[in-house]
Amino acid sequence: IGGLLGDKAVSSVFDNSKIKRLVPEFNAKLSFAEGIRRSVEWFEARPEKCTIDAEWNNWSDTVIAAYEKGFNRS
């Protein structure tokens, strides 16, 4: 597996300060906790969306293992 490219190559912190300056009257109406609660509720109402994707899991495990191998070099 090659190195990660683009926005996946380094850690980043994103914020919304620019949009807040441009549109100061905008005010998010949902808290993070409420957004997560609604997301979980949506998935719980759709059990067909809550399946295990073995192919995705295997791919993810391969990427993580490659990252950890590269990260732990002396």
Side-chain angles (χ1 to χ4, degrees):
I1 293 181
L4 297 175
L5 301 175
D7 65 339
K8 307 295 187 269
V10 295
S11 295
S12 298
V13 175
F14 299 94
D15 70 43
N16 58 6
S17 59
K18 186 174 183 180
I19 193 69
K20 285 182 176 182
R21 281 195 307 276
L22 294 172
V23 190
E25 65 275 9
F26 175 77
N27 186 18
K29 298 191 177 17
L30 289 180
S31 67
F32 177 78
E34 177 64 12
I36 293 297
R37 186 194 66 73
R38 288 185 184 189
S39 294
V40 169
E41 189 176 85
W42 186 91
F43 277 102
E44 288 177 339
R46 294 162 181 84
E48 72 279 6
K49 301 288 186 183
C50 301
T51 60
I52 295 172
D53 184 337
E55 185 178 347
W56 172 257
N57 282 349
N58 291 336
W59 180 85
S60 297
D61 289 344
T62 301
V63 170
I64 292 167
Y67 172 80
E68 289 175 341
K69 182 180 178 184
F71 186 73
N72 291 322
R73 286 188 193 156
S74 300

